[in-house]
Amino acid sequence: MNPILEVVGLYKSFGPVEALRGADLQLRAGEVLAVVGDNGAGKSTLIKHISGVYRPDAGQILLAGVPLDLASPREARERGIETVYQDLALADDLSIGANIFLGREPMRRLFGILPYIDERAIRRETADLLKKIRSEIPPEAPTVARLSGGQRQAVAIARAIYWQAKVVLMDEPTAALAVMERERVIAHARDLAAHGVGVIYIGHNLTEILKVADRIAVMFRGRTVHVTTTGATDQETLIKYMTGYSETNKAA
Amino acid sequence: MQALLRRLPIESYVIAFTIALWVALAWATPNFLTESNVSNLMRQTPIAAIVAIGVMCTIVIAGIDLSVGSVAAFCGVAFAQMCRHDFGLAPSAALTLLAGVSVGLTNAAAIGRLGIPPFIVTLAGLQVYRGLALLLAGGMTVGGLPAEVKDFARGTTGLPNLFWTMLAVAIAVHYLLRYTRTGRYLYAMGSNAEAARRQGINTFRITVVAYVLSSGLAALAGVLLVSRLSIASPSMANAYELQAIAAAVVGGASLFGGRGTVLGAVVGAILFTTMSNAAVLLGVDPFWEMVLEGLLIALVVYLDNLQKRRQSGA
């Protein structure tokens, strides 16, 4: 099966710092691919290239076999790459529906002239979506301000599903969440994959990673050093690759 | 019952308070419910409300506009000078509004492109446009205006024309905020500018919309003020920015951005106009009135702060 997203030999430096030194990745539709690595291994830099924040110095990103040259996060989104941000980028004073449709509101026209936002369609679609991802968010919540971290995550995920994202990037989605909430986010990630979306899941809690991922890619010092299916590995092996132990051994 | 009370929008409290104030005033002084006082109120309020609606838009995007009083004075004087030099009423008014729009564009550019905080940009504007108003008026009141200048503000179409003008402005801005994408993005930007940007919203365009509305409506207020007074004084509309901010915030706008309604700004303006009217009728020293107004503004901002903290704590 052809990968939906492919990263080949990505290189990026910020001044003297080489953040990526040949990162590779292959993501298939309908799978959760976890990317793990120590702090500074280049996980976030890699994600920011895929989401259109950074442009690589060298290397290529291919979406369904077509080379991508993303100028902005907006362009990435138009191509079907959605990012669920760590800091849960929602507008607190807007409703759940308004957040899901933010920037892409369905419009109608009064008497064929005066345009207005189709709130009824937004409400209907939002209720459907929340049902689809089996979220227990009270649909009557007036704004997202009082939602918990996990519920906010669900709103972001609903947004990705509605807009038929091909690839969803989840950058440390559980970092700020309580234990129960983490379980929900893991379920959401699995849901996305079940909808045929390719999910890249960044994390460093290995117990969680082993639970959510179909495959795991390990990064070390800006490079992809190891890729494995989840069933064929364990925490110890992953830690060896994450700390560079196996690489130094190979060199020796 | 308590749950119901909590769900009532803040505007309803302000309306209730204002009505209570009216009742109290009608009871306390025979001069309140007279035809001349009521029609006076119906001419005073619209100008304050129009300014407040504009300022509210900048507050919604988590900005502020301190320059509106000076802009109203500058535009009023410019309008008067043009009328005096026989530009004709309509062309003068149109050019004045255009000047207001340019002021807004300048503010938006300084804020959105140069990255200067809105507080500083519009504080500078407060000084600059007051100075320009004085220069343009030669430091004196501009009088001797053609008679038709005052016809609009004095005229009625069932109710005072000024009242209808306010209603038109209120409906137009309410439509923009409540039913259009642009309006939605004003709230989104004020709520979380970064999130708005990530969803592909052009936040500079939204900044332009907010500040052009604010300055444009201040210019309109300047024209209406000149029409009402039939003179233009370079010192008129003094401290209008404070009343406008207070009206917007009393009406539920949050200085942290993301919240505010046209209805709220209008009721806030009605409340403040009623209060200064009450001070006059009850013979309160106008200097004390300033003190009280200032304290009320501080109180309102404190309540806004409190509400924000309670919300983020929940």
Side-chain angles (χ1 to χ4, degrees):
Chain A
M1 189 177 162
N2 288 331
I4 177 91
L5 183 89
E6 199 170 0
V7 175
V8 191
L10 223 52
Y11 181 91
K12 177 79 173 179
S13 65
F14 299 99
V17 182
E18 294 178 298
L20 293 179
R21 303 182 302 149
D24 301 301
L25 219 55
Q26 290 199 334
L27 174 72
R28 298 171 197 145
E31 77 166 348
V32 177
L33 171 68
V35 178
V36 297
D38 210 347
N39 290 336
K43 304 176 304 245
S44 280
T45 312
L46 174 63
I47 287 301
K48 282 180 176 152
H49 278 88
I50 302 173
S51 65
V53 176
Y54 295 146
R55 280 182 141 157
D57 295 337
Q60 242 187 348
I61 302 171
L62 302 124
L63 184 68
V66 183
L68 275 182
D69 182 24
L70 300 170
S72 69
R74 175 178 204 156
E75 213 174 292
R77 218 184 47 173
E78 278 161 8
R79 301 293 199 90
I81 300 172
E82 287 273 347
T83 309
V84 176
Y85 290 96
Q86 194 171 350
D87 50 2
L88 318 168
L90 300 178
D92 268 0
D93 297 297
L94 298 186
S95 69
I96 297 167
N99 266 291
I100 291 176
F101 287 84
L102 189 58
R104 295 176 280 202
E105 292 78 4
M107 301 299 291
R108 297 190 65 163
R109 275 170 193 281
L110 187 65
F111 311 127
I113 9 173
L114 209 58
Y116 66 95
I117 295 176
D118 190 354
E119 292 294 347
R120 204 179 300 169
I122 289 183
R123 263 199 305 275
R124 192 181 53 230
E125 297 290 339
T126 301
D128 277 1
L129 272 167
L130 292 182
K131 211 180 290 164
K132 201 186 261 177
I133 62 168
R134 287 173 283 138
S135 165
E136 76 287 23
I137 302 177
E140 73 275 14
T143 69
V144 299
R146 277 163 188 268
L147 299 186
S148 70
Q151 290 172 329
R152 295 164 70 92
Q153 199 77 242
V155 173
I157 284 161
R159 178 154 72 194
I161 291 184
Y162 186 80
W163 296 105
Q164 303 187 329
K166 298 184 193 107
V167 174
V168 170
L169 310 172
M170 300 176 79
D171 188 0
E172 305 259 11
T174 59
L177 300 185
V179 178
M180 279 302 289
E181 299 253 271
R182 289 183 194 174
E183 296 295 323
R184 287 237 45 108
V185 171
I186 289 171
H188 286 320
R190 297 300 329 164
D191 266 358
L192 277 171
H195 278 91
V197 178
V199 180
I200 295 183
Y201 192 103
I202 307 268
H204 57 236
N205 177 339
L206 291 180
T207 321
E208 186 181 299
I209 293 296
L210 288 168
K211 214 182 279 178
V212 71
D214 297 302
R215 292 190 308 134
I216 301 171
V218 184
M219 289 189 73
F220 180 71
R221 292 191 184 155
R223 226 177 253 148
T224 316
V225 291
H226 182 63
V227 181
T228 174
T229 53
T230 304
T233 190
D234 55 40
Q235 293 213 17
E236 269 164 68
T237 319
L238 290 173
I239 288 170
K240 269 185 198 163
Y241 283 103
M242 283 167 71
T243 52
Y245 174 78
S246 51
E247 201 168 75
T248 30
N249 261 14
K250 247 184 278 168
Chain B
M1 185 65 194
Q2 253 189 340
L4 181 75
L5 277 180
R6 218 175 299 139
R7 216 175 304 159
L8 279 176
I10 187 159
E11 291 96 326
S12 43
Y13 294 103
V14 185
I15 293 173
F17 184 75
T18 309
I19 291 173
L21 194 60
W22 284 344
V23 172
L25 280 171
W27 176 75
T29 159
N31 300 325
F32 181 71
L33 263 190
T34 59
E35 204 192 320
S36 74
N37 190 52
V38 169
S39 94
N40 193 20
L41 268 177
M42 284 186 101
R43 288 183 167 84
Q44 242 168 40
T45 308
I47 295 177
I50 286 170
V51 176
I53 289 171
V55 171
M56 185 267 297
C57 294
T58 66
I59 293 178
V60 164
I61 65 164
I64 195 82
D65 193 345
L66 299 175
S67 66
V68 284
S70 298
V71 170
F74 166 65
C75 289
V77 170
F79 172 67
Q81 291 290 28
M82 284 189 273
C83 287
R84 222 165 57 117
H85 290 93
D86 297 326
F87 271 53
L89 205 58
S92 304
L95 279 173
T96 305
L97 293 184
L98 203 64
V101 168
S102 326
V103 170
L105 286 173
T106 314
N107 285 345
I111 293 161
R113 288 285 186 245
L114 304 183
I116 310 172
F119 180 82
I120 302 298
V121 169
T122 59
L123 185 63
L126 177 133
Q127 193 75 344
V128 167
Y129 297 111
R130 185 65 68 183
L132 287 176
L134 283 157
L135 283 171
L136 205 55
M140 292 184 302
T141 298
V142 182
L145 304 178
E148 62 264 28
V149 169
K150 61 174 187 258
D151 286 350
F152 181 79
R154 305 238 162 133
T156 57
T157 316
L159 291 169
N161 289 342
L162 284 176
F163 179 83
W164 293 118
T165 312
M166 171 186 82
L167 200 64
V169 167
I171 290 172
V173 178
H174 177 75
Y175 162 74
L176 178 85
L177 291 184
R178 182 73 186 71
Y179 296 103
T180 69
R181 284 184 173 174
T182 302
R184 167 94 18 121
Y185 301 163
L186 284 159
Y187 290 100
M189 182 182 166
S191 188
N192 186 341
E194 187 52 34
R197 229 169 275 129
R198 285 179 190 172
Q199 293 309 312
I201 291 167
N202 180 345
T203 49
F204 179 63
R205 197 183 76 87
I206 299 302
T207 307
V208 167
V209 170
Y211 285 92
V212 163
L213 269 173
S214 186
S215 300
L217 290 177
L220 176 63
V223 171
L224 297 176
L225 201 57
V226 170
S227 172
R228 194 168 84 82
L229 305 171
S230 68
I231 51 154
S233 155
S235 62
M236 67 186 180
N238 190 33
Y240 268 31
E241 58 282 343
L242 280 188
Q243 277 211 4
I245 293 166
V249 173
V250 165
S254 166
L255 290 173
F256 298 95
R259 255 179 292 159
T261 61
V262 170
L263 179 64
V266 172
V267 242
I270 294 174
L271 175 62
F272 274 90
T273 321
T274 308
M275 279 173 53
S276 51
N277 183 247
V280 173
L281 293 180
L282 298 173
V284 176
D285 188 328
F287 299 147
W288 274 114
E289 194 207 326
M290 283 175 73
V291 173
L292 291 176
E293 247 181 49
L295 289 177
L296 185 67
I297 292 169
L299 176 72
V300 162
V301 173
Y302 169 71
L303 291 177
D304 176 36
N305 225 326
L306 210 64
Q307 196 187 16
K308 189 78 182 180
R309 226 177 309 157
R310 201 179 323 144
Q311 194 180 50
S312 56

